[in-house]
Amino acid sequence: MNEFFLNSAAAGVVLSLVSYFAGMEIKRRWKWAVLNPLLISIVLVVGFLVLFDVDYDAYNESARYLSYLLTPATVSLAIPLYQQMELLKKNMAAICIGILAGVLASLGSILALSVVFGLSHEEYVTLLPKSITTAIGMGVSEELGGYAVITTAAIIVTGVMGNMTAEHLCRVFRIKYAISRGIAIGSASHAIGTARAMEMGEAEGAMSSLAIVVSGLCTVAGAAVFAGVY
């Protein structure tokens, strides 16, 4: 089976897409928040690899073409932001402060938890970019001496959790304004959370898209500073 994946240009792509579409169908039928399509697809792919004893490297080599779409998919999030440009101009100060607060909360929480649980420096810097998109987070982790593969897993888990809990948490904490909701989701759970923000409303999606970009840039600078603290 490893040879099949290594020699096939599409086996990994097909497995990934079929698993994701299966996740979407399960979500459509039962509509439970925990049934996130990405989470389901991860479980299905991992189950397949374990069941048929397929090495991750073989699967990754066959599915690498999907990774090429990551950057353009992130860039395309600028479209809803452009459509809400007037809203952005009117609330520029609040938006910038909100994103900065989100970045500092993310970095600060990782620092605090690393101290509490006694993580090594490498483990600490691996988790620092957990709340930004994979395209940026992997580079930050490698630059700081972390484990990029674990960073990717942490980013995905963070995004999935944000996608699953975003709307519920907004209700619990009575966050009613679209700008606040979008900024909170985007700065905490990047593109996967933004997908949920877009379902909540156009303004939420636009602000979340903005938060992905700005928080990513702020985290690049902030992670370098925080890396020297612990």
Side-chain angles (χ1 to χ4, degrees):
M1 187 63 76
N2 283 324
E3 290 296 324
F4 174 73
F5 272 83
L6 287 172
N7 296 327
S8 173
V13 173
V14 172
L15 174 60
S16 301
L17 293 178
V18 168
S19 299
Y20 185 75
F21 286 131
M24 291 181 64
E25 180 63 21
I26 292 172
K27 173 70 173 181
R28 185 186 67 80
R29 288 190 179 186
W30 282 280
K31 303 184 186 302
W32 297 346
V34 71
L35 297 178
N36 181 273
L38 182 59
L39 178 61
I40 294 173
S41 66
I42 291 172
V43 172
L44 292 177
V45 169
V46 171
F48 181 93
L49 298 184
V50 172
L51 180 63
F52 292 96
D53 195 26
V54 180
D55 290 337
Y56 171 77
D57 290 337
Y59 161 73
N60 189 48
E61 178 66 20
S62 182
R64 68 184 187 278
Y65 302 106
L66 286 175
S67 300
Y68 299 155
L69 301 176
L70 182 61
T71 300
T74 303
V75 173
S76 68
L77 293 173
I79 296 175
L81 176 61
Y82 176 77
Q83 295 172 338
Q84 298 290 332
M85 189 60 67
E86 289 301 318
L87 186 63
L88 170 62
K89 292 178 180 179
K90 292 179 181 178
N91 300 276
M92 181 66 71
I95 291 171
C96 291
I97 294 173
I99 294 176
L100 181 60
V103 171
L104 291 176
S106 174
L107 296 175
S109 63
I110 292 299
L111 173 60
L113 291 172
S114 296
V115 172
V116 171
F117 290 101
L119 300 185
S120 66
H121 177 75
E122 290 76 12
E123 294 167 339
Y124 164 61
V125 297
T126 294
L127 297 176
L128 278 178
K130 69 171 181 61
S131 291
I132 59 177
T133 184
T134 309
I136 303 175
M138 290 182 64
V140 172
S141 178
E142 291 177 348
E143 184 70 23
L144 297 177
Y147 308 109
V149 174
I150 299 178
T151 299
T152 301
I155 290 173
I156 292 174
V157 170
T158 301
V160 170
M161 292 301 296
N163 186 290
M164 291 168 51
T165 63
E167 190 168 7
H168 176 68
L169 288 176
C170 285
R171 288 199 300 267
V172 169
F173 292 100
R174 299 181 181 180
I175 304 175
K176 300 179 180 179
Y177 295 102
I179 295 177
S180 302
R181 289 151 66 102
I183 293 299
I185 295 170
S187 60
S189 51
H190 52 86
I192 303 177
T194 297
R196 187 72 189 96
M198 289 182 172
E199 294 176 2
M200 294 167 64
E202 293 184 2
E204 285 91 338
M207 294 302 105
S208 188
S209 300
L210 173 65
I212 292 176
V213 179
V214 179
S215 62
L217 296 175
C218 291
T219 299
V220 170
V225 175
F226 272 73
V229 175
Y230 178 73

